[in-house]
Amino acid sequence: MFPSRFIQCVPAALIAGLLLLAAPATLADTANTITAEQLFSRAQYGSPSLSPDGKQMSVLTPINGRLALAVIDLKTREARVLASSKVWDAAGVRWINNKRVLFSVQDTRDVMEKAKGDGPFAINIDGTGFRDLSEKMRVRVLATLKDGSDDILVTSNKRSPDAGRDDFGSSDVYRMDTKSGKAKLLTFTNPGKVNNWIVDEQGQVRAAVSFFGDKASGRFKTVVNYRDNQDAPWKVISEFLMDDEGYVPVGFDADGKTMYVTGRGKEDKEGLYIWDFATNKPKSLVFRHPEADFGDDLIRDWDSGKVVGVFINAYKPEAHYFDESWAQLQANFNATFPNAFNSLQKRGDRILVTTTSDINPGQAFLYEPSTGKLEQLLSYKPELNPELLSPMKTVSYTARDGLEIPGYLTLPKGKDAKKLPLVAFVHGGPHARDDWGFSPMVQFLAAQGYAVLQPNFRMSTGLGWKLHRAGWKQWGLAMQDDITDGVNWLVKEGIVDPKRVCIMGASYGGYATMYGLVKDPDLYQCGINYVGVTDISMLFTVAWSDTSDSAWTRFRQKDLHGDPDKDVDYMKKSSALENADRITKPVMMAYGSEDIRVPLIHGEKMRDKLKARGIPVEWIVYAGEGHGWSKPENNYDFAHRVGAFLKQHLDKPAK
């Protein structure tokens, strides 16, 4: 543990220039108040990253309402803004070398422009040498190099601009000079349909993963190609259909010979293995977590390139190390910042520590091993007082069929855990999951005095095959029962007042809200549905939806959610819209006018049916928004509306 006397605040001069330019923080009216504006406003800082030598730090900060890219000299404490715009946000910052950085731009406030971001761009940290790297061909950054050059590796589909409609990629790899923009093709012999390339620590392209719709099987197929070096021929080492046993590469160790792969095998959770090239099978298990699937997050020592650990998004995010010195370093910071996730970035003689938690949106600290000094650099949202925020607890309960359902429970700060009003807050996807960490909406609800349950119901991903597979074609059935069972568990425990429960969610969570009011009308006093599906079949039949005729729909959605031609009875039974006459409780419905994932028609049809029967509906449409709210003013407005709606329907026990 690091002595607290070494934790210091950086002098104001470090970032005074940025603070003068940045939009002022919205402060609470009193020291004991948490406001929607505080919770949902942009962080003052984000994405800090050290240069390879540890002498500079890049950071994003709002200027004139947009995210700007700035670089801070950690010795002189001088800050320089490299990229700032009134219409774009800087994003995707990476260091090319000690003197040059990469970034892209996007418009996160306008849904119509969100997919039209531009870049990547490169610029020297003194503001010179700007280059648009997509000037000659559209590229994406694959990897930076450690050879001290101005070069990077990029991918482009220049040679196959018209990839098949069932392919998820068809790219090549180029080595690009970020000063001249010149690029050299590295994959002239290309395995085809590649959507993911794996590069070793020497910058050689060594593995290629192709993922595409296989018409013969009607399923997605993965083909993995490998080569011994940059000039060797490609050879297939693995191919498998989705959901079958298979493994995909995630990286090479520093020796360039050890390839790590991830897969489930015959187990419930995805694990990390070392690949055996002699047998083309996994040789040894390196890591598997009992709670969650391993993704692809390897932790490396920057100087040596050696894999020293892994990051895993378990019930709480965790870092596990294979190297004892790194494990001890992590343990020290975990003791200094308990009940948080602490990420370490070691460059040169410095370590950047970013710490986040359920009650902390983020802070950045600089540690100097030579002196033992730990110095606070940035607080992402300094206007928030962590002591006023409510801890998010991991929970697990048993569904009616015996399946264990993990989730999160947040209880309002300062309230006894007895007979509390509850919001069952259901995540979208539904092939997604809720995570532990800072959530503006969860904290807003807790600040209003409500307990918040976030169940990772069956169909949720990242938490094992059994939980996910149990949710296939279970809309309105066992998936819905998992939410109900969680509410009833809290009632049985005496934590929740059974007469003061509301259900709320977005996208699939919006569907679960509407169907919860259909299926369990006595359990919920109200529902809040935003951008929610109201009829499963409309995911396939509404022509202007991006789900209606995508490769994902043709090869996957029907397995997970049902076939509109073959599962007619199931879809009708599980349609909230078809069963709207069973809804008796008031509902808030909010949609984005430009949503192409769940078009406005989902909400309009439900609204009309409910209003025709006299059911109270608070109807909201945010102009220019899509599948969620991008504009801060809409987030503020929605939060205030949610607070008022809940106050009206939950603050007093139902009769």
Side-chain angles (χ1 to χ4, degrees):
M1 181 174 180
F2 299 100
S4 59
R5 69 176 184 273
F6 287 133
I7 302 179
Q8 302 178 355
C9 286
V10 174
L14 168 62
I15 46 180
L18 297 182
L19 287 175
L20 288 173
L21 293 171
T26 303
L27 301 177
D29 294 331
T30 70
N32 297 317
T33 302
I34 294 292
T35 68
E37 286 71 20
Q38 287 176 302
L39 290 166
F40 289 94
S41 63
R42 275 189 166 168
Q44 290 191 20
Y45 305 100
S47 304
S49 178
L50 290 179
S51 59
D53 61 8
K55 296 180 180 180
Q56 310 277 340
M57 183 179 76
S58 62
V59 67
L60 297 178
T61 185
I63 296 178
N64 297 320
R66 295 290 184 175
L67 291 176
L69 166 61
V71 170
I72 300 170
D73 186 311
L74 293 175
K75 181 178 180 180
T76 65
R77 308 296 173 155
E78 294 179 354
R80 176 187 291 273
V81 176
L82 299 182
S84 177
S85 168
K86 293 183 178 180
V87 295
W88 295 98
D89 297 289
V93 181
R94 299 172 74 169
W95 287 87
I96 300 171
N97 52 45
N98 292 320
K99 301 295 184 183
R100 195 161 174 80
V101 295
L102 287 165
F103 71 98
S104 59
V105 296
Q106 60 185 8
D107 187 353
T108 58
R109 293 196 53 168
D110 188 341
V111 67
M112 301 303 292
E113 295 295 330
K114 188 176 291 186
K116 299 179 182 178
D118 209 355
F121 306 101
I123 191 171
N124 293 330
I125 61 174
D126 63 3
T128 64
F130 175 82
R131 168 69 64 178
D132 180 353
L133 302 182
S134 283
E135 187 175 16
K136 297 179 181 178
M137 64 178 178
R138 300 296 304 172
V139 300
R140 292 185 178 182
V141 178
L142 175 63
T144 55
L145 304 172
K146 295 182 179 180
D147 57 6
S149 72
D150 295 312
D151 294 358
I152 60 173
L153 300 186
V154 299
T155 62
S156 175
N157 67 343
K158 179 182 179 180
R159 291 203 302 163
S160 53
D162 300 316
R165 66 194 294 259
D166 296 331
D167 302 340
F168 274 71
S170 188
S171 62
D172 280 298
V173 180
Y174 297 79
R175 179 170 178 137
M176 176 175 280
D177 184 328
T178 64
K179 285 194 171 178
S180 69
K182 294 181 179 179
K184 177 184 177 182
L185 178 64
L186 301 181
T187 54
F188 181 78
T189 55
N190 187 317
K193 299 184 179 182
V194 179
N195 74 312
N196 188 29
W197 299 92
I198 307 298
V199 179
D200 66 19
E201 284 299 288
Q202 288 70 46
Q204 296 190 86
V205 184
R206 300 284 304 284
V209 181
S210 303
F211 182 69
F212 53 91
D214 179 51
K215 291 183 174 62
S217 65
R219 296 161 66 185
F220 282 122
K221 187 174 186 178
T222 297
V223 177
V224 179
N225 277 267
Y226 164 82
R227 61 184 180 183
D228 295 325
N229 56 62
Q230 187 77 46
D231 301 316
W234 292 104
K235 52 189 174 183
V236 175
I237 61 171
S238 178
E239 55 183 315
F240 55 92
L241 296 174
M242 195 170 192
D243 305 323
D244 290 350
E245 181 176 349
Y247 302 85
V248 294
V250 293
F252 289 84
D253 215 330
D255 61 6
K257 300 177 181 179
T258 303
M259 186 173 79
Y260 294 98
V261 300
T262 182
R264 178 169 51 87
K266 301 185 185 304
E267 302 296 325
D268 182 52
K269 308 294 192 303
E270 300 253 348
L272 180 69
Y273 299 81
I274 292 175
W275 189 255
D276 186 343
F277 291 102
T279 63
N280 277 340
K281 293 181 179 180
K283 178 168 56 177
S284 56
L285 177 68
V286 178
F287 175 81
R288 176 178 282 115
H289 198 284
E291 295 174 355
D293 297 317
F294 174 74
D296 59 1
D297 291 309
L298 303 175
I299 302 174
R300 296 181 184 273
D301 181 282
W302 175 264
D303 293 328
S304 68
K306 183 176 177 58
V307 174
V308 295
V310 296
F311 164 77
I312 180 78
N313 189 21
Y315 294 166
K316 289 185 176 182
E318 301 172 4
H320 292 261
Y321 288 93
F322 318 133
D323 181 279
E324 183 57 37
S325 62
W326 275 88
Q328 185 58 55
L329 194 63
Q330 182 76 49
N332 290 340
F333 286 114
N334 289 349
T336 302
F337 305 112
N339 303 315
F341 176 64
N342 305 303
S343 176
L344 313 183
Q345 190 182 122
K346 186 177 184 295
R347 301 289 187 270
D349 297 327
R350 293 186 170 102
I351 298 174
L352 179 68
V353 184
T354 54
T355 179
T356 61
S357 76
D358 48 350
I359 59 173
N360 179 4
Q363 292 173 292
F365 293 81
L366 190 66
Y367 178 60
E368 303 270 4
S370 60
T371 62
K373 184 172 69 172
L374 186 64
E375 182 180 27
Q376 182 174 335
L377 293 178
L378 307 169
S379 178
Y380 295 4
K381 291 179 74 68
E383 67 271 24
L384 282 178
N385 181 356
E387 294 182 2
L388 300 181
L389 299 177
S390 300
M392 179 185 288
K393 303 175 182 178
T394 61
V395 296
S396 180
Y397 58 89
T398 305
R400 63 191 67 182
D401 64 353
L403 186 65
E404 284 299 308
I405 306 298
Y408 302 97
L409 178 64
T410 302
L411 301 178
K413 191 77 178 262
K415 301 276 188 179
D416 291 335
K418 296 178 181 179
K419 296 286 185 180
L420 292 169
L422 173 74
V423 175
F425 191 20
V426 187
H427 71 68
H431 30 78
R433 61 163 289 188
D434 270 322
D435 307 297
W436 182 87
F438 176 76
S439 165
M441 183 56 77
V442 169
Q443 290 299 332
F444 176 77
L445 295 171
Q448 311 306 303
Y450 306 110
V452 184
L453 174 66
Q454 297 172 273
N456 276 316
F457 48 86
R458 69 192 70 204
M459 180 67 87
S460 298
T461 54
L463 298 167
W465 174 251
K466 182 180 178 181
L467 183 71
H468 173 64
R469 181 64 179 86
W472 288 21
K473 295 186 183 181
Q474 290 295 310
W475 287 56
L477 304 176
M479 290 168 69
Q480 195 71 41
D481 293 340
D482 289 345
I483 303 164
T484 302
D485 293 346
V487 173
N488 287 333
W489 166 67
L490 292 174
V491 170
K492 184 179 179 180
E493 292 292 315
I495 297 172
V496 166
D497 182 347
K499 296 184 180 298
R500 292 193 292 166
V501 181
C502 185
I503 185 168
M504 171 180 177
S507 197
Y508 171 81
Y511 163 84
T513 294
M514 303 310 301
Y515 206 81
L517 297 176
V518 167
K519 192 172 187 178
D520 299 290
D522 295 329
L523 182 63
Y524 302 111
Q525 300 306 313
C526 59
I528 300 172
N529 154 28
Y530 55 115
V531 299
V533 175
T534 61
D535 183 82
I536 310 172
S537 64
M538 283 202 290
L539 292 172
F540 302 90
T541 59
V542 177
W544 58 95
S545 167
D546 66 356
T547 64
S548 64
D549 190 37
S550 65
W552 185 256
T553 296
R554 290 191 297 279
F555 291 91
R556 189 60 171 170
Q557 294 281 55
K558 294 177 182 179
D559 291 335
L560 301 182
H561 310 314
D563 187 319
D565 297 321
K566 299 177 181 179
D567 299 313
V568 176
D569 291 342
Y570 157 68
M571 286 196 164
K572 186 172 182 179
K573 179 180 179 180
S574 298
S575 169
L577 185 62
E578 290 287 340
N579 295 279
D581 58 347
R582 295 167 59 184
I583 296 176
T584 60
K585 299 296 174 59
V587 61
M588 171 188 286
M589 300 174 66
Y591 287 82
S593 67
E594 309 304 320
D595 194 347
I596 60 171
R597 177 60 47 84
V598 180
L600 193 57
I601 192 173
H602 280 262
E604 291 174 329
K605 286 192 171 186
M606 178 63 77
R607 175 202 63 192
D608 294 346
K609 278 198 170 187
L610 295 180
K611 284 194 170 184
R613 294 176 44 242
I615 304 301
V617 177
E618 182 172 345
W619 175 252
I620 308 163
V621 176
Y622 289 112
E625 293 283 19
H627 201 55
W629 324 139
S630 301
K631 300 175 183 178
E633 58 269 26
N634 290 338
N635 278 297
Y636 306 153
D637 179 76
F638 183 65
H640 287 304
R641 287 174 181 265
V642 166
F645 184 82
L646 291 173
K647 183 176 179 64
Q648 179 183 357
H649 299 293
L650 285 193
D651 274 16
K652 294 180 180 179
K655 295 181 180 179

